[in-house]
């Protein structure tokens, strides 16, 4: 293991509106005897990070629970049946729980009921991935990434994609019973941010490919610009739930979007009182509301007789299991699911990105790449995972005076890439 004493990170000391702090000399994590140290190459900025920031929580700590990278060091007592080696690319299952109970041991830590102080969830209860390196207490929670998956897109698989996959799996159990008595099954996705877009991609790959037009997929959001991606990814219709509309107007928009005057399956990635009430009022008999998002600790009221008489189910989703995460990796590796759009950012941008995410100003996903020292704001990282050969970084800087010259330089770069990449793990291209 390289002799590292300090690292860069972003740490949360106080709750919102106080900003997270970028630190350049944080203590390097100790190597867990049964785990590993991961060199963080990808860390997604997630709404859960925002929730942890805006609510009273354990502090100080390093957030970031959507993590992928390469193995930097392995503990002496680590159980390593798959023979993972130093430098291997891995995605991290960060929902560790206590790591000792029967649920955690079987990779279902979302069922762990250990006290908060015993919870080892990375980036939520212990130091996470908004750092150059992170300690993973248990080696079993590392999933090797095949070469077909770019590491910069892999961090979000452990939360965003996993949570959506868990929600879609629950939705799929209701489709056959619904279609046995109805001509069509309507699915409404509320909130088409990062998780909602993953759900739409998964429904297209796993549901629409099987049932065709017997399943209607509709996406909705209060931000109209997000709906274009929902259509591109597989929704037959989208609904702009304008904040200026009344609740009755929104309800009418939802009902009229489906052939059977409403959806049977609603997946709510927002989790606000208004979105749940709309789901509850629009769900057809025999339907289910799948609750994923959490918004400001909202509370809701339901008429129990209506819930029972209409046989409406309510299913809560919290991330997913280790086995489900392995299945997500397999889906991406096979090409059945492709990553949603994302933008790469340097580590020091985390504080401002948290504000943007809180305000709904990020489309797709924001990915932190701690080991890239970016040289301008107009920077594009090309094929990061193909260049993880060492701890060095190569900078290739273009100064194009015309578009033609830019393409000429870019072609020269691509043609020479095999000769260049042996010297380092990341190549950065930038224009000024």
């Amino acid at each position: 293991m390289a002799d590292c004493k300090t690292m860069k990170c972003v740490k949360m000391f106080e709750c919102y509106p106080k900003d997270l702090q970028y630190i350049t000399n944080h203590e390097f994590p100790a190597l867990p005897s049964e785990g590993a140290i991961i060199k963080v190459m990808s860390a997604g900025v997630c709404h859960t990070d925002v929730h942890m920031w805006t609510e009273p929580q354990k502090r100080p700590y390093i957030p970031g629970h959507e993590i992928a990278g390469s193995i930097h060091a392995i503990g002496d007592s680590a159980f390593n049946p798959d023979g993972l080696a130093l430098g291997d690319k891995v995605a991290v299952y960060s929902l560790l729980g206590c790591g000792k109970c029967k649920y955690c041991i079987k990779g279902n830590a979302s069922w762990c009921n250990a006290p908060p102080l015993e919870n080892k969830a990375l980036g939520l209860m212990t130091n996470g991935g908004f750092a150059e390196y992170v300690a993973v207490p248990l080696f079993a929670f590392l999933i090797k990434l095949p070469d077909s998956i770019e590491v910069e897109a892999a961090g979000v698989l452990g939360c965003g994609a996993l949570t959506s996959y868990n929600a879609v799996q629950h939705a799929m159990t209701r489709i056959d019973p619904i279609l046995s008595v109805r001509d069509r099954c309507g699915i409404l996705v509320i909130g088409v941010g990062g998780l909602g877009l993953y759900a739409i991609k998964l429904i297209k790959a796993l549901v629409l490919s099987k049932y065709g037009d017997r399943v209607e997929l509709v996406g909705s959001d209060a931000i109209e610009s997000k709906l274009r991606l929902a259509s591109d990814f597989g929704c037959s219709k989208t609904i702009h739930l304008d904040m200026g509309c009344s609740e009755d107007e929104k309800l009418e928009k939802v009902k009229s979007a489906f052939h059977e005057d409403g959806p049977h399956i609603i997946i709510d990635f927002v989790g606000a009182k208004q979105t749940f009430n709309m789901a509850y009022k629009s769900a057809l008999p025999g339907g289910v509301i799948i609750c994923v998002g959490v918004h400001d600790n909202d509370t809701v009221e339901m008429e129990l007789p209506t819930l029972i008489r209409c046989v409406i189910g309510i299913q809560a989703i919290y991330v997913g299991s280790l086995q489900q995460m392995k299945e997500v990796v397999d889906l991406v590796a096979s090409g059945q699911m492709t990553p949603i759009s994302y933008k790469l950012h340097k580590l020091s941008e985390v504080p401002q990105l948290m504000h943007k995410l809180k305000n709904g100003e990020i489309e797709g996903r924001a990915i932190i790449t701690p080991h890239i020292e970016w040289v301008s704001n107009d920077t594009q990282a090309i094929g990061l995972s193909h260049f993880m050969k060492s701890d060095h970084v190569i900078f290739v800087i273009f100064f194009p005076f015309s578009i033609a010259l830019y393409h000429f330089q870019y072609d020269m770069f691509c043609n020479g890439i095999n000769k260049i990449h042996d010297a380092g793990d990341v190549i950065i291209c930038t224009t000024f």
Side-chain angles (χ1 to χ4, degrees), residues 229-404:
L229 287 175
S231 296
D232 292 344
F233 290 171
C235 286
S236 58
K237 295 180 182 178
T238 59
I239 308 170
H240 180 213
L241 298 175
D242 192 334
M243 298 299 290
C245 294
S246 69
E247 296 304 309
D248 288 341
E249 288 173 325
K250 292 177 183 179
L251 185 61
E252 180 58 32
K253 282 186 177 184
V254 170
K255 289 186 174 183
S256 63
F258 295 90
H259 280 81
E260 297 206 3
D261 197 31
H264 305 90
I265 300 171
I266 302 112
I267 309 177
D268 184 1
F269 287 103
V270 178
K273 180 177 181 178
Q274 294 88 342
T275 57
F276 181 87
N277 286 342
M278 183 179 65
Y280 173 63
K281 293 177 181 179
S282 64
L284 293 176
V288 61
I289 303 169
I290 300 175
C291 303
V292 184
V294 177
H295 180 80
D296 292 341
N297 290 324
D298 280 356
T299 58
V300 297
E301 295 181 359
M302 295 177 289
E303 297 176 356
L304 191 56
T306 301
L307 190 73
I308 295 172
R309 185 171 61 250
C310 294
V311 200
I312 298 173
I314 298 175
Q315 174 68 55
I317 295 294
Y318 183 59
V319 197
S321 68
L322 177 62
Q323 177 57 38
Q324 286 175 313
M325 183 171 172
K326 292 178 179 178
E327 292 169 9
V328 167
V329 171
D330 289 341
L331 283 170
V332 176
S334 67
Q336 289 183 267
M337 183 178 76
T338 56
I340 64 172
S341 59
Y342 59 88
K343 184 177 180 181
L344 303 180
H345 299 269
K346 55 189 176 182
L347 184 59
S348 59
E349 291 182 76
V350 169
Q352 67 188 75
L353 289 170
M354 293 282 279
H355 282 282
K356 288 183 177 181
L357 187 60
K358 182 180 184 298
N359 296 331
E361 298 172 0
I362 293 178
E363 291 187 15
R365 297 303 309 271
I367 306 295
I368 305 304
T369 50
H371 284 274
I372 300 177
E373 292 298 334
W374 300 68
V375 292
S376 88
N377 290 327
D378 182 21
T379 307
Q380 180 183 13
I382 298 180
L384 301 185
S385 69
H386 296 302
F387 308 109
M388 291 186 189
K389 304 296 182 183
S390 72
D391 288 338
H392 302 292
V393 177
I394 292 176
F395 295 99
V396 179
I397 302 176
F398 298 148
F399 296 90
F401 295 96
S402 69
I403 297 224

Side-chain angles (χ1 to χ4, degrees), residues 148-170:
S148 59
I149 299 180
E150 295 283 352
V151 72
E152 67 266 26
V156 297
L157 300 184
C159 178
L162 173 59
T163 302
S164 299
Y165 179 64
N166 191 6
V168 171
Q169 279 201 320
H170 277 86

Side-chain angles (χ1 to χ4, degrees), residues 100-258:
K100 299 177 182 178
C101 70
K102 61 182 180 180
Y103 305 116
C104 291
I105 291 172
K106 292 182 179 180
N108 212 356
S110 61
W111 292 10
C112 177
N113 59 0
L117 291 179
E118 296 180 18
N119 194 308
K120 300 176 182 178
L122 300 177
L124 300 174
M125 300 304 297
T126 60
N127 287 339
F130 291 163
E132 292 182 303
Y133 297 88
V134 63
V136 180
L138 296 173
F139 203 81
F141 290 157
L142 302 179
I143 301 172
K144 186 172 182 178
L145 294 172
D147 292 338
S148 59
I149 299 180
E150 295 283 352
V151 72
E152 67 266 26
V156 297
L157 300 184
C159 178
L162 173 59
T163 302
S164 299
Y165 179 64
N166 191 6
V168 171
Q169 279 201 320
H170 277 86
M172 290 170 65
T173 65
R174 306 299 287 259
I175 295 175
D176 282 334
I178 291 169
L179 290 179
S180 68
V181 295
R182 294 182 179 271
D183 293 332
R184 298 193 183 192
C185 173
I187 301 178
L188 174 65
V189 174
I190 301 177
V192 293
L195 272 68
L197 291 176
Y198 265 121
I200 290 167
K201 277 180 169 280
L202 285 162
I203 292 169
K204 180 180 180 181
L206 304 177
V207 177
L208 300 186
S209 62
K210 178 180 179 181
Y211 296 99
D213 61 6
R214 292 199 71 194
V215 172
E216 296 177 283
L217 176 58
V218 176
S220 66
D221 205 285
I223 301 175
E224 191 170 13
S225 60
K226 294 183 178 181
L227 297 175
R228 175 183 53 80
L229 287 175
S231 296
D232 292 344
F233 290 171
C235 286
S236 58
K237 295 180 182 178
T238 59
I239 308 170
H240 180 213
L241 298 175
D242 192 334
M243 298 299 290
C245 294
S246 69
E247 296 304 309
D248 288 341
E249 288 173 325
K250 292 177 183 179
L251 185 61
E252 180 58 32
K253 282 186 177 184
V254 170
K255 289 186 174 183
S256 63
F258 295 90

